[in-house]
Amino acid sequence: MAIFLAKITTLWWFGAVMQRRRFDRMFRKENRTRTVGMGAMGLIVGLALVGPSGLLSWSETLRLRDARAAQLAELEERRDELQHRVTLLSPDSADPDLVSELIRENLNVVHPDEMVIILDDPVEPAAR
């Protein structure tokens, strides 16, 4: 009977140890999974704060947007000016004043009764 109880006790102890080892293995695997999950969450939170589109770069993004909006307004104004000049130069109805101005400017053409006076570049007064 003592041998039988010793065998049962040994089997019970061995079974408990095996269960404990399985529990430890499972717990370690869960622990790794939690650690990886927390690391991934930390990375996501870090990028949300300091990443290229995070909260800390939000003011820089707004400043760039405003600067580009101002640049776009200037370019649209310049485009409208050029479109108006193109309209004035259309072959069907060319503006004589604009055509005359462009010919004089680009081809150095003058009328016989005109005199050309060339002025030196004005000298700026000395800074005070």
Side-chain angles (χ1 to χ4, degrees), residues 3 18 21 23 27 29 34 37 50 55 62 76 83 86 95 104 107 110 113 123 127:
I3 297 176
M18 292 302 288
R21 286 181 185 164
F23 177 75
F27 185 70
K29 186 182 278 187
R34 281 192 200 125
V50 296
L55 293 176
L62 292 178
E76 286 177 346
Q83 184 65 36
V86 166
D95 182 32
R104 289 171 187 262
L107 301 177
V110 293
D113 60 346
V123 178

Side-chain angles (χ1 to χ4, degrees), residues 15-127:
V17 168
M18 292 302 288
Q19 281 183 346
R20 177 72 180 163
R21 286 181 185 164
R22 250 185 275 139
F23 177 75
D24 286 347
R25 232 181 295 137
M26 183 177 65
F27 185 70
R28 278 185 268 146
K29 186 182 278 187
E30 283 180 8
N31 212 4
R32 275 183 262 148
T33 306
R34 281 192 200 125
T35 303
V36 169
M38 291 300 288
M41 289 296 291
L43 178 67
I44 290 171
V45 169
L47 287 175
L49 291 176
V50 296
S53 60
L55 293 176
L56 296 180
S57 66
W58 192 260
S59 63
E60 178 70 17
T61 303
L62 292 178
R63 187 187 61 77
L64 285 174
R65 185 194 65 182
D66 293 341
R68 290 193 176 132
Q71 183 183 15
L72 179 64
E74 290 174 10
L75 290 173
E76 286 177 346
E77 182 179 327
R78 177 72 177 139
R79 183 195 62 193
D80 292 341
E81 290 173 6
L82 291 174
Q83 184 65 36
H84 180 67
R85 285 185 69 121
V86 166
T87 306
L88 291 177
L89 285 174
S90 68
D92 299 333
S93 61
D95 182 32
D97 291 333
L98 182 61
V99 171
S100 173
E101 176 187 334
L102 290 174
I103 288 174
R104 289 171 187 262
E105 184 179 313
N106 294 331
L107 301 177
N108 294 326
V109 175
V110 293
H111 290 289
D113 60 346
E114 292 179 339
M115 281 199 322
V116 177
I117 300 174
I118 300 173
L119 300 174
D120 292 334
D121 291 337
V123 178
E124 294 182 18

